[in-house]
Amino acid sequence: MKIKVRRYHPHFAPPTIEMEYDIPQDVTLLQALSHIKRHIDRTLTFSFMCRSGVCGSCAMRVNGKEVLACEYKVQENDIIEPLQFTPTLRDLVSDKKSALETLERSKAYPLNMEEVELEQADIAFLQRQSDCILCSSCYSSCPVYEVNEAFLGPFALTRVYRYVCDKREQKKKEHIDAIVENGIWDCTLCGNCTEVCPQGIDPKNDILMLQSWAAKFGYTNPHMGSFGSFGLEF
């Protein structure tokens, strides 16, 4: 079986090339990459840690779609690439710093929590929203980053939704205030983030819910104004 890996080295010319490798049948992508590194090319560089879909460090793209290498079963002629919209450090290793900074800019953390008794359904919801493993797959799949690198992005907004819905959080409006610019109104609701999330989280729905919360606090979608009167004067 053959796969192609898009490799990158910042000091080579050209910095990006596509290389083809022979790999064993019926293996995960992480096993295939490990085989290449061990038996064919020791310079191939990629990230991994838990090998069980928990840490998110092995996220990359296969045929244009984000996957976890430890979970994806390799197919003939697959094309392997690093994540999009984050700087590539070497081969399949991405610098996720800019993606993680969106958590701070969106205030995706508790602001003022008070002691409130939670029901079992509340706990189950919060647990699900906290299952994000920060793999950046949703960040890489988001088309908004092609035109707006300041966009807060799916996993930051999903984390904000977790705190807005938390009965213990007293500063819900402050959370909403932080995500109206380059945030909830800029999302195209394409659903790519929901499709690639390895944890089954639904950022598209969470962003829709945040838009509803924003409306409760008096915000309106600024892009709706562009529809105006459809060019007609009334």
Side-chain angles (χ1 to χ4, degrees), residues 45-46 68 70-72 94 141 143 155 157 168 186 209-210 218:
T45 306
F46 52 96
L68 294 183
C70 64
E71 294 186 334
Y72 178 79
S94 301
S141 71
F155 69 72
L157 294 175
R168 299 167 296 181
D186 296 86
M209 294 297 102
L210 285 171

Side-chain angles (χ1 to χ4, degrees), residues 8 18 36 38 54 63 66 77 86 114-115 132 157 210:
Y8 172 81
E18 198 169 84
I36 294 169
R38 188 177 301 117
V54 175
N63 305 326
E66 289 71 17
N77 297 322
T86 56
E114 293 190 355
E115 189 169 335
C132 173
L157 294 175
L210 285 171

Side-chain angles (χ1 to χ4, degrees), residues 6-17 43 45 88-91:
R6 189 159 297 167
R7 303 194 56 179
Y8 172 81
H9 194 297
H11 303 305
F12 287 0
T16 300
I17 60 172
T43 67
T45 306
T88 302
L89 299 176
R90 179 81 180 270
D91 292 338

Side-chain angles (χ1 to χ4, degrees), residues 112-123:
N112 183 15
M113 305 287 273
E114 293 190 355
E115 189 169 335
V116 176
E117 185 174 350
L118 298 179
E119 299 176 0
Q120 192 57 43
D122 299 323
I123 296 172

Side-chain angles (χ1 to χ4, degrees), residues 186-198:
D186 296 86
C187 174
T188 64
L189 302 176
C190 68
N192 286 358
C193 50
T194 298
E195 184 178 347
V196 302
C197 178

Side-chain angles (χ1 to χ4, degrees), residues 15-29:
T16 300
I17 60 172
E18 198 169 84
M19 298 187 68
E20 186 174 83
Y21 298 99
D22 289 308
I23 61 165
Q25 299 274 351
D26 298 323
V27 295
T28 66
L29 177 54

